PDB file of all heavy atoms in Angstrom:
ATOM      1  N   GLY T1031     -16.743  -4.800  30.344  1.00 50.00           N
ATOM      2  CA  GLY T1031     -16.853  -5.773  29.265  1.00 50.00           C
ATOM      3  C   GLY T1031     -17.809  -5.477  28.138  1.00 50.00           C
ATOM      4  O   GLY T1031     -17.501  -5.763  27.011  1.00 50.00           O
ATOM      5  N   ALA T1038     -24.777  -4.524  14.136  1.00 79.00           N
ATOM      6  CA  ALA T1038     -25.830  -5.065  13.278  1.00 79.00           C
ATOM      7  C   ALA T1038     -25.523  -6.512  12.925  1.00 79.00           C
ATOM      8  O   ALA T1038     -24.368  -6.904  12.870  1.00 79.00           O
ATOM      9  CB  ALA T1038     -25.922  -4.236  12.007  1.00 79.00           C
ATOM     10  N   ARG T1040     -24.762  -9.732  10.789  1.00 72.00           N
ATOM     11  CA  ARG T1040     -24.118  -9.908   9.505  1.00 72.00           C
ATOM     12  C   ARG T1040     -24.083 -11.390   9.204  1.00 72.00           C
ATOM     13  O   ARG T1040     -24.327 -12.209  10.066  1.00 72.00           O
ATOM     14  CB  ARG T1040     -22.716  -9.316   9.519  1.00 72.00           C
ATOM     15  CG  ARG T1040     -21.811  -9.904  10.580  1.00 72.00           C
ATOM     16  CD  ARG T1040     -20.525  -9.118  10.662  1.00 72.00           C
ATOM     17  NE  ARG T1040     -19.429  -9.902  11.183  1.00 72.00           N
ATOM     18  CZ  ARG T1040     -19.134  -9.997  12.470  1.00 72.00           C
ATOM     19  NH1 ARG T1040     -19.886  -9.394  13.377  1.00 72.00           N
ATOM     20  NH2 ARG T1040     -18.105 -10.723  12.861  1.00 72.00           N
ATOM     21  N   ALA T1063     -17.745   6.928 -20.080  1.00 93.00           N
ATOM     22  CA  ALA T1063     -16.276   7.006 -20.128  1.00 93.00           C
ATOM     23  C   ALA T1063     -15.659   6.144 -19.037  1.00 93.00           C
ATOM     24  O   ALA T1063     -16.130   6.112 -17.906  1.00 93.00           O
ATOM     25  CB  ALA T1063     -15.833   8.448 -19.960  1.00 93.00           C
ATOM     26  N   TYR T1150       5.097  -5.439  -0.385  1.00 98.00           N
ATOM     27  CA  TYR T1150       3.851  -4.669  -0.480  1.00 98.00           C
ATOM     28  C   TYR T1150       3.972  -3.531  -1.497  1.00 98.00           C
ATOM     29  O   TYR T1150       3.013  -3.210  -2.185  1.00 98.00           O
ATOM     30  CB  TYR T1150       3.465  -4.096   0.882  1.00 98.00           C
ATOM     31  CG  TYR T1150       2.879  -5.100   1.834  1.00 98.00           C
ATOM     32  CD1 TYR T1150       3.656  -5.739   2.787  1.00 98.00           C
ATOM     33  CD2 TYR T1150       1.524  -5.428   1.788  1.00 98.00           C
ATOM     34  CE1 TYR T1150       3.109  -6.661   3.677  1.00 98.00           C
ATOM     35  CE2 TYR T1150       0.975  -6.342   2.658  1.00 98.00           C
ATOM     36  CZ  TYR T1150       1.773  -6.955   3.603  1.00 98.00           C
ATOM     37  OH  TYR T1150       1.231  -7.865   4.461  1.00 98.00           O
ATOM     38  N   ARG T1158      -0.782  -2.498 -10.457  1.00 97.00           N
ATOM     39  CA  ARG T1158      -1.251  -1.346 -11.221  1.00 97.00           C
ATOM     40  C   ARG T1158      -0.760  -1.382 -12.656  1.00 97.00           C
ATOM     41  O   ARG T1158      -1.537  -1.238 -13.594  1.00 97.00           O
ATOM     42  CB  ARG T1158      -0.752  -0.048 -10.571  1.00 97.00           C
ATOM     43  CG  ARG T1158      -1.581   0.423  -9.406  1.00 97.00           C
ATOM     44  CD  ARG T1158      -1.307   1.895  -9.202  1.00 97.00           C
ATOM     45  NE  ARG T1158      -1.861   2.396  -7.958  1.00 97.00           N
ATOM     46  CZ  ARG T1158      -1.967   3.689  -7.693  1.00 97.00           C
ATOM     47  NH1 ARG T1158      -1.552   4.574  -8.563  1.00 97.00           N
ATOM     48  NH2 ARG T1158      -2.479   4.095  -6.556  1.00 97.00           N
ATOM     49  N   CYS T1167      -5.852   5.493 -10.143  1.00 97.00           N
ATOM     50  CA  CYS T1167      -7.038   5.655  -9.314  1.00 97.00           C
ATOM     51  C   CYS T1167      -8.183   6.239 -10.138  1.00 97.00           C
ATOM     52  O   CYS T1167      -7.983   7.169 -10.916  1.00 97.00           O
ATOM     53  CB  CYS T1167      -6.725   6.557  -8.133  1.00 97.00           C
ATOM     54  SG  CYS T1167      -5.385   5.870  -7.148  1.00 97.00           S
ATOM     55  N   GLU T1171     -10.662  -0.732 -14.344  1.00 94.00           N
ATOM     56  CA  GLU T1171      -9.807  -1.837 -14.761  1.00 94.00           C
ATOM     57  C   GLU T1171     -10.539  -2.670 -15.811  1.00 94.00           C
ATOM     58  O   GLU T1171     -11.763  -2.674 -15.861  1.00 94.00           O
ATOM     59  CB  GLU T1171      -9.402  -2.686 -13.563  1.00 94.00           C
ATOM     60  CG  GLU T1171     -10.557  -3.265 -12.771  1.00 94.00           C
ATOM     61  CD  GLU T1171     -10.052  -4.236 -11.712  1.00 94.00           C
ATOM     62  OE1 GLU T1171      -9.732  -5.354 -12.101  1.00 94.00           O
ATOM     63  OE2 GLU T1171      -9.992  -3.864 -10.524  1.00 94.00           O
ATOM     64  N   TYR T1176     -12.931  -9.957 -10.154  1.00 93.00           N
ATOM     65  CA  TYR T1176     -11.801  -9.565  -9.338  1.00 93.00           C
ATOM     66  C   TYR T1176     -11.915 -10.234  -7.980  1.00 93.00           C
ATOM     67  O   TYR T1176     -12.937 -10.099  -7.301  1.00 93.00           O
ATOM     68  CB  TYR T1176     -11.768  -8.049  -9.162  1.00 93.00           C
ATOM     69  CG  TYR T1176     -10.706  -7.600  -8.190  1.00 93.00           C
ATOM     70  CD1 TYR T1176      -9.401  -7.392  -8.612  1.00 93.00           C
ATOM     71  CD2 TYR T1176     -10.998  -7.440  -6.838  1.00 93.00           C
ATOM     72  CE1 TYR T1176      -8.424  -7.025  -7.714  1.00 93.00           C
ATOM     73  CE2 TYR T1176     -10.023  -7.069  -5.931  1.00 93.00           C
ATOM     74  CZ  TYR T1176      -8.740  -6.859  -6.376  1.00 93.00           C
ATOM     75  OH  TYR T1176      -7.766  -6.505  -5.482  1.00 93.00           O
ATOM     76  N   GLU T1179      -6.477 -10.727  -3.389  1.00 94.00           N
ATOM     77  CA  GLU T1179      -5.545 -11.680  -2.791  1.00 94.00           C
ATOM     78  C   GLU T1179      -6.295 -12.674  -1.911  1.00 94.00           C
ATOM     79  O   GLU T1179      -5.807 -13.082  -0.861  1.00 94.00           O
ATOM     80  CB  GLU T1179      -4.488 -10.919  -1.990  1.00 94.00           C
ATOM     81  CG  GLU T1179      -3.681  -9.967  -2.864  1.00 94.00           C
ATOM     82  CD  GLU T1179      -2.573  -9.238  -2.121  1.00 94.00           C
ATOM     83  OE1 GLU T1179      -2.658  -9.135  -0.884  1.00 94.00           O
ATOM     84  OE2 GLU T1179      -1.635  -8.768  -2.780  1.00 94.00           O
ATOM     85  N   ARG T1191       6.716 -12.350   4.954  1.00 96.00           N
ATOM     86  CA  ARG T1191       7.678 -12.205   6.051  1.00 96.00           C
ATOM     87  C   ARG T1191       8.789 -13.252   5.972  1.00 96.00           C
ATOM     88  O   ARG T1191       9.914 -12.985   6.371  1.00 96.00           O
ATOM     89  CB  ARG T1191       6.969 -12.269   7.399  1.00 96.00           C
ATOM     90  CG  ARG T1191       6.245 -13.556   7.647  1.00 96.00           C
ATOM     91  CD  ARG T1191       5.543 -13.530   8.980  1.00 96.00           C
ATOM     92  NE  ARG T1191       4.572 -12.423   9.040  1.00 96.00           N
ATOM     93  CZ  ARG T1191       3.683 -12.303  10.010  1.00 96.00           C
ATOM     94  NH1 ARG T1191       3.643 -13.190  10.983  1.00 96.00           N
ATOM     95  NH2 ARG T1191       2.825 -11.305  10.017  1.00 96.00           N
ATOM     96  N   TYR T1192       8.483 -14.423   5.424  1.00 96.00           N
ATOM     97  CA  TYR T1192       9.539 -15.429   5.283  1.00 96.00           C
ATOM     98  C   TYR T1192      10.539 -15.021   4.206  1.00 96.00           C
ATOM     99  O   TYR T1192      11.734 -15.268   4.330  1.00 96.00           O
ATOM    100  CB  TYR T1192       8.934 -16.810   5.014  1.00 96.00           C
ATOM    101  CG  TYR T1192       8.327 -17.376   6.284  1.00 96.00           C
ATOM    102  CD1 TYR T1192       6.987 -17.196   6.575  1.00 96.00           C
ATOM    103  CD2 TYR T1192       9.129 -18.019   7.211  1.00 96.00           C
ATOM    104  CE1 TYR T1192       6.447 -17.659   7.758  1.00 96.00           C
ATOM    105  CE2 TYR T1192       8.610 -18.491   8.397  1.00 96.00           C
ATOM    106  CZ  TYR T1192       7.257 -18.311   8.676  1.00 96.00           C
ATOM    107  OH  TYR T1192       6.741 -18.758   9.851  1.00 96.00           O
ATOM    108  N   LEU T1254       2.129  -5.245  18.546  1.00 96.00           N
ATOM    109  CA  LEU T1254       1.790  -4.959  19.943  1.00 96.00           C
ATOM    110  C   LEU T1254       0.621  -4.000  20.031  1.00 96.00           C
ATOM    111  O   LEU T1254       0.450  -3.136  19.185  1.00 96.00           O
ATOM    112  CB  LEU T1254       2.988  -4.327  20.652  1.00 96.00           C
ATOM    113  CG  LEU T1254       4.274  -5.143  20.670  1.00 96.00           C
ATOM    114  CD1 LEU T1254       5.404  -4.303  21.244  1.00 96.00           C
ATOM    115  CD2 LEU T1254       4.078  -6.408  21.486  1.00 96.00           C
ATOM    116  N   SER T1258       3.382   1.016  25.623  1.00 96.00           N
ATOM    117  CA  SER T1258       3.906   1.553  26.875  1.00 96.00           C
ATOM    118  C   SER T1258       4.553   0.457  27.718  1.00 96.00           C
ATOM    119  O   SER T1258       5.396   0.738  28.556  1.00 96.00           O
ATOM    120  CB  SER T1258       2.796   2.244  27.663  1.00 96.00           C
ATOM    121  OG  SER T1258       1.720   1.353  27.841  1.00 96.00           O
TER     122      SER T1258
ATOM    123  N   ARG P1258     -19.135   7.629  -8.566  1.00 96.00           N
ATOM    124  CA  ARG P1258     -19.564   6.628  -9.548  1.00 96.00           C
ATOM    125  C   ARG P1258     -19.748   5.237  -8.957  1.00 96.00           C
ATOM    126  O   ARG P1258     -20.217   4.343  -9.648  1.00 96.00           O
ATOM    127  CB  ARG P1258     -18.549   6.578 -10.699  1.00 96.00           C
ATOM    128  CG  ARG P1258     -18.625   7.843 -11.555  1.00 96.00           C
ATOM    129  CD  ARG P1258     -17.585   7.869 -12.634  1.00 96.00           C
ATOM    130  NE  ARG P1258     -17.837   6.868 -13.668  1.00 96.00           N
ATOM    131  CZ  ARG P1258     -17.171   6.819 -14.820  1.00 96.00           C
ATOM    132  NH1 ARG P1258     -16.246   7.710 -15.072  1.00 96.00           N
ATOM    133  NH2 ARG P1258     -17.433   5.896 -15.704  1.00 96.00           N
ATOM    134  N   ALA P1278     -22.358  -0.572  10.398  1.00 95.00           N
ATOM    135  CA  ALA P1278     -23.143  -1.161  11.481  1.00 95.00           C
ATOM    136  C   ALA P1278     -22.763  -2.608  11.755  1.00 95.00           C
ATOM    137  O   ALA P1278     -23.055  -3.144  12.810  1.00 95.00           O
ATOM    138  CB  ALA P1278     -24.633  -1.064  11.133  1.00 95.00           C
ATOM    139  N   THR P1284     -15.440  -2.807  22.417  1.00 94.00           N
ATOM    140  CA  THR P1284     -15.809  -3.538  23.631  1.00 94.00           C
ATOM    141  C   THR P1284     -14.646  -3.447  24.612  1.00 94.00           C
ATOM    142  O   THR P1284     -13.687  -4.202  24.520  1.00 94.00           O
ATOM    143  CB  THR P1284     -16.084  -5.021  23.285  1.00 94.00           C
ATOM    144  OG1 THR P1284     -16.972  -5.068  22.160  1.00 94.00           O
ATOM    145  CG2 THR P1284     -16.703  -5.734  24.460  1.00 94.00           C
ATOM    146  N   ASP P1300      -0.156   4.294  23.378  1.00 95.00           N
ATOM    147  CA  ASP P1300      -0.900   3.087  23.009  1.00 95.00           C
ATOM    148  C   ASP P1300      -2.087   3.379  22.103  1.00 95.00           C
ATOM    149  O   ASP P1300      -2.478   2.540  21.299  1.00 95.00           O
ATOM    150  CB  ASP P1300      -1.388   2.370  24.267  1.00 95.00           C
ATOM    151  CG  ASP P1300      -0.229   1.860  25.109  1.00 95.00           C
ATOM    152  OD1 ASP P1300       0.874   1.692  24.546  1.00 95.00           O
ATOM    153  OD2 ASP P1300      -0.419   1.641  26.309  1.00 95.00           O
ATOM    154  N   ARG P1303      -1.927   5.293  17.424  1.00 96.00           N
ATOM    155  CA  ARG P1303      -2.174   4.738  16.095  1.00 96.00           C
ATOM    156  C   ARG P1303      -3.667   4.732  15.772  1.00 96.00           C
ATOM    157  O   ARG P1303      -4.083   5.080  14.675  1.00 96.00           O
ATOM    158  CB  ARG P1303      -1.643   3.304  16.029  1.00 96.00           C
ATOM    159  CG  ARG P1303      -0.223   3.221  15.597  1.00 96.00           C
ATOM    160  CD  ARG P1303       0.192   1.782  15.452  1.00 96.00           C
ATOM    161  NE  ARG P1303      -0.009   1.030  16.678  1.00 96.00           N
ATOM    162  CZ  ARG P1303       0.130  -0.292  16.777  1.00 96.00           C
ATOM    163  NH1 ARG P1303       0.449  -0.987  15.714  1.00 96.00           N
ATOM    164  NH2 ARG P1303      -0.046  -0.905  17.921  1.00 96.00           N
ATOM    165  N   HIS P1321     -11.134   0.266  -6.341  1.00 97.00           N
ATOM    166  CA  HIS P1321     -11.535  -0.478  -7.537  1.00 97.00           C
ATOM    167  C   HIS P1321     -12.252  -1.785  -7.209  1.00 97.00           C
ATOM    168  O   HIS P1321     -12.971  -2.313  -8.047  1.00 97.00           O
ATOM    169  CB  HIS P1321     -10.309  -0.766  -8.398  1.00 97.00           C
ATOM    170  CG  HIS P1321      -9.365  -1.763  -7.782  1.00 97.00           C
ATOM    171  ND1 HIS P1321      -9.145  -2.984  -8.325  1.00 97.00           N
ATOM    172  CD2 HIS P1321      -8.632  -1.720  -6.643  1.00 97.00           C
ATOM    173  CE1 HIS P1321      -8.293  -3.665  -7.555  1.00 97.00           C
ATOM    174  NE2 HIS P1321      -7.962  -2.903  -6.533  1.00 97.00           N
ATOM    175  N   GLU P1362     -15.015 -12.126   6.672  1.00 94.00           N
ATOM    176  CA  GLU P1362     -16.330 -11.517   6.483  1.00 94.00           C
ATOM    177  C   GLU P1362     -16.269 -10.113   5.898  1.00 94.00           C
ATOM    178  O   GLU P1362     -17.212  -9.675   5.254  1.00 94.00           O
ATOM    179  CB  GLU P1362     -17.072 -11.471   7.831  1.00 94.00           C
ATOM    180  CG  GLU P1362     -17.320 -12.870   8.376  1.00 94.00           C
ATOM    181  CD  GLU P1362     -17.866 -12.814   9.786  1.00 94.00           C
ATOM    182  OE1 GLU P1362     -18.785 -12.006  10.022  1.00 94.00           O
ATOM    183  OE2 GLU P1362     -17.359 -13.558  10.647  1.00 94.00           O
ATOM    184  N   GLY P1366      -8.793  -9.557   2.223  1.00 96.00           N
ATOM    185  CA  GLY P1366      -7.980 -10.136   1.157  1.00 96.00           C
ATOM    186  C   GLY P1366      -8.284  -9.565  -0.221  1.00 96.00           C
ATOM    187  O   GLY P1366      -7.489  -9.721  -1.145  1.00 96.00           O
ATOM    188  N   TYR P1367      -9.419  -8.905  -0.389  1.00 97.00           N
ATOM    189  CA  TYR P1367      -9.732  -8.317  -1.696  1.00 97.00           C
ATOM    190  C   TYR P1367      -8.863  -7.103  -1.991  1.00 97.00           C
ATOM    191  O   TYR P1367      -8.630  -6.759  -3.135  1.00 97.00           O
ATOM    192  CB  TYR P1367     -11.211  -7.916  -1.766  1.00 97.00           C
ATOM    193  CG  TYR P1367     -12.105  -9.100  -2.001  1.00 97.00           C
ATOM    194  CD1 TYR P1367     -12.503  -9.913  -0.950  1.00 97.00           C
ATOM    195  CD2 TYR P1367     -12.514  -9.432  -3.282  1.00 97.00           C
ATOM    196  CE1 TYR P1367     -13.287 -11.025  -1.159  1.00 97.00           C
ATOM    197  CE2 TYR P1367     -13.298 -10.546  -3.506  1.00 97.00           C
ATOM    198  CZ  TYR P1367     -13.695 -11.333  -2.447  1.00 97.00           C
ATOM    199  OH  TYR P1367     -14.453 -12.437  -2.674  1.00 97.00           O
ATOM    200  N   THR P1371      -3.193  -1.253  -3.647  1.00 97.00           N
ATOM    201  CA  THR P1371      -2.792  -0.338  -4.702  1.00 97.00           C
ATOM    202  C   THR P1371      -2.965   1.128  -4.281  1.00 97.00           C
ATOM    203  O   THR P1371      -2.711   2.029  -5.059  1.00 97.00           O
ATOM    204  CB  THR P1371      -3.559  -0.640  -5.994  1.00 97.00           C
ATOM    205  OG1 THR P1371      -4.884  -1.030  -5.653  1.00 97.00           O
ATOM    206  CG2 THR P1371      -2.908  -1.769  -6.755  1.00 97.00           C
ATOM    207  N   CYS P1373      -5.132   3.559  -3.707  1.00 98.00           N
ATOM    208  CA  CYS P1373      -5.934   4.690  -4.165  1.00 98.00           C
ATOM    209  C   CYS P1373      -6.685   5.331  -3.004  1.00 98.00           C
ATOM    210  O   CYS P1373      -6.922   6.542  -2.999  1.00 98.00           O
ATOM    211  CB  CYS P1373      -6.909   4.240  -5.243  1.00 98.00           C
ATOM    212  SG  CYS P1373      -6.052   3.865  -6.781  1.00 98.00           S
ATOM    213  N   GLU P1394      -0.993  -7.920   8.156  1.00 97.00           N
ATOM    214  CA  GLU P1394       0.072  -8.611   8.893  1.00 97.00           C
ATOM    215  C   GLU P1394      -0.481  -9.311  10.134  1.00 97.00           C
ATOM    216  O   GLU P1394      -0.032 -10.394  10.492  1.00 97.00           O
ATOM    217  CB  GLU P1394       1.169  -7.622   9.277  1.00 97.00           C
ATOM    218  CG  GLU P1394       2.051  -7.209   8.097  1.00 97.00           C
ATOM    219  CD  GLU P1394       2.911  -8.364   7.581  1.00 97.00           C
ATOM    220  OE1 GLU P1394       3.448  -9.125   8.400  1.00 97.00           O
ATOM    221  OE2 GLU P1394       3.011  -8.532   6.345  1.00 97.00           O
ATOM    222  N   ASP P1398      -0.343 -13.335  11.050  1.00 94.00           N
ATOM    223  CA  ASP P1398      -0.012 -13.928  12.358  1.00 94.00           C
ATOM    224  C   ASP P1398      -1.010 -15.019  12.720  1.00 94.00           C
ATOM    225  O   ASP P1398      -0.655 -16.086  13.189  1.00 94.00           O
ATOM    226  CB  ASP P1398      -0.112 -12.858  13.459  1.00 94.00           C
ATOM    227  CG  ASP P1398       1.145 -12.020  13.547  1.00 94.00           C
ATOM    228  OD1 ASP P1398       2.133 -12.362  12.885  1.00 94.00           O
ATOM    229  OD2 ASP P1398       1.127 -11.022  14.294  1.00 94.00           O
ATOM    230  N   ASP P1402       0.870 -17.770   9.205  1.00 88.00           N
ATOM    231  CA  ASP P1402       2.258 -17.934   9.620  1.00 88.00           C
ATOM    232  C   ASP P1402       2.339 -19.107  10.591  1.00 88.00           C
ATOM    233  O   ASP P1402       1.859 -19.017  11.717  1.00 88.00           O
ATOM    234  CB  ASP P1402       2.750 -16.643  10.294  1.00 88.00           C
ATOM    235  CG  ASP P1402       4.206 -16.731  10.683  1.00 88.00           C
ATOM    236  OD1 ASP P1402       4.716 -17.859  10.831  1.00 88.00           O
ATOM    237  OD2 ASP P1402       4.846 -15.672  10.863  1.00 88.00           O
TER     238      ASP P1402
END
Side-chain angles (χ1 to χ4, degrees):
Chain T
R1040 58 189 205 271
Y1150 284 96
R1158 278 200 191 193
C1167 301
E1171 58 173 282
Y1176 173 85
E1179 299 183 338
R1191 60 181 59 169
Y1192 286 94
L1254 302 173
S1258 54
Chain P
R1258 290 176 69 170
T1284 311
D1300 295 338
R1303 271 184 303 172
H1321 69 114
E1362 297 172 46
Y1367 282 82
T1371 36
C1373 289
E1394 286 292 319
D1398 277 351
D1402 183 338

